[in-house]
Amino acid sequence: MTQATQEQASPRKLTGKLVGLVTSDKTSKTRTVKVAYQVRHPKYGKYLHRSTSYHAHDEQNISKLSDRVEIAACRPYSKTKSWRIVRVVEASLPPIDAVKNPEGSESEVQDAE
């Protein structure tokens, strides 16, 4: 590259950004993201719910199951993976059984019942 083209080069713009839910985090550095949208029926005019699943690259494994994430189109990482996770928009809540009982152990709660 010449010096003139290096000066003109600006940060890459994110085109094709989508927001969806992580439906699978079983593989390392790969997440399956489900993007839901509505489309109007051409004849009847009713709005139909549709969804598309994308495989997205997550380099640091920062997203977890049920997180709402923003993905952007990028170069192909593999045959099916050509999206990357830009950021976690909303983190999911932990499962109910993972929340610790602030009063004590579960055995004390069962004894009280």
Side-chain angles (χ1 to χ4, degrees):
M1 284 182 139
T2 64
Q3 189 176 14
T5 54
Q6 287 177 352
E7 292 174 355
Q8 292 175 358
S10 62
R12 185 173 48 181
K13 290 185 179 181
L14 298 177
T15 58
K17 294 189 329 187
L18 300 172
V19 176
L21 287 174
V22 176
T23 57
S24 175
D25 62 350
K26 295 184 180 193
T27 56
S28 178
K29 298 185 180 182
T30 302
R31 302 291 182 257
T32 303
V33 179
K34 187 174 190 178
V35 177
Y37 59 94
Q38 291 181 344
V39 62
R40 189 174 175 167
H41 192 280
K43 183 175 180 181
Y44 299 113
K46 182 177 180 178
Y47 285 94
L48 306 172
H49 297 277
R50 298 283 182 239
S51 63
T52 305
S53 293
Y54 297 99
H55 291 261
H57 185 69
D58 188 7
E59 185 66 35
Q60 288 87 22
N61 289 325
I62 56 173
S63 63
K64 302 296 178 211
L65 191 65
S66 300
D67 284 352
R68 184 173 301 277
V69 295
E70 182 178 10
I71 60 174
C74 64
R75 67 174 179 87
Y77 284 99
S78 68
K79 179 180 175 182
T80 59
K81 189 164 63 167
S82 59
W83 293 81
R84 63 186 173 90
I85 293 182
V86 177
R87 65 186 175 104
V88 176
V89 176
E90 180 182 353
S92 64
L93 297 174
I96 294 174
D97 53 342
V99 177
K100 294 181 181 178
N101 187 1
E103 299 165 356
S105 65
E106 291 183 21
S107 61
E108 292 175 8
V109 176
Q110 291 175 354
D111 294 339
E113 293 175 356

